[in-house]
Amino acid sequence: MASQRKKNQENIRFQVIKFISENPEVSTRKVAKKIGISNGSAYYVISALIEKGFVKFGNFWSNPNKANYAYLLTPKGIREKYYLTSRFLERKKLEYKELEKEIKALERETNEFKKNKTI
């Protein structure tokens, strides 16, 4: 159970890092909506990423609207994104292989039904 929770947390962290790296001016509310988590959870994850030095919170000084802030990946955050992406990819490949096996087993089963005309 703890292992599944760890995977879920890592998936959320990966999705948040990926999303804010592609959309630096995004709000925590938009992060929450995109990832499918609560606003509080999005705030917690982003705060943890900032605290760990993966993300920095800055503003665009050249922007006439000084209220515009952005989440920017630090070099450490870029390495973390690479690490999380690699782990995510490996998990998805494993899921794909397992799904392929399940599909083949179901195809064999349906072919047996057709052969025996039991449908």
Side-chain angles (χ1 to χ4, degrees):
M1 180 93 156
S3 177
Q4 185 63 36
R5 184 178 352 180
K6 184 178 176 184
K7 284 180 190 176
N8 288 340
Q9 290 171 343
E10 191 172 274
N11 281 343
I12 290 170
R13 200 167 57 247
F14 165 70
Q15 290 176 39
V16 169
I17 285 179
K18 184 176 183 302
F19 187 61
I20 65 176
S21 72
E22 296 166 354
N23 306 281
E25 294 183 57
V26 73
S27 67
T28 54
R29 185 175 304 274
K30 287 182 182 175
V31 169
K33 186 174 181 179
K34 173 69 176 175
I35 308 302
I37 56 178
S38 71
N39 291 338
S41 293
Y43 177 80
Y44 176 81
V45 172
I46 292 171
S47 295
L49 292 171
I50 291 170
E51 191 174 303
K52 290 179 179 181
F54 298 143
V55 173
K56 69 179 182 176
F57 184 66
N59 64 349
F60 294 111
W61 293 106
S62 59
N63 192 321
N65 181 359
K66 297 299 182 199
N68 282 354
Y69 288 90
Y71 296 107
L72 304 170
L73 288 184
T74 64
K76 189 176 175 182
I78 292 169
R79 282 190 303 276
E80 180 69 1
K81 181 182 175 190
Y82 167 78
Y83 168 75
L84 291 172
T85 302
S86 298
R87 299 236 341 170
F88 183 81
L89 182 59
E90 287 305 312
R91 280 195 307 276
K92 291 301 176 183
K93 284 180 180 179
L94 182 61
E95 287 175 18
Y96 176 76
K97 286 178 185 177
E98 291 171 1
L99 189 56
E100 251 184 341
K101 287 178 189 176
E102 186 177 347
I103 289 170
K104 286 179 182 178
L106 291 170
E107 286 174 340
R108 282 191 300 273
E109 187 177 325
T110 56
N111 287 336
E112 281 298 315
F113 280 125
K114 286 179 188 176
K115 274 188 201 174
N116 297 329
K117 299 186 188 238
T118 56
I119 47 176

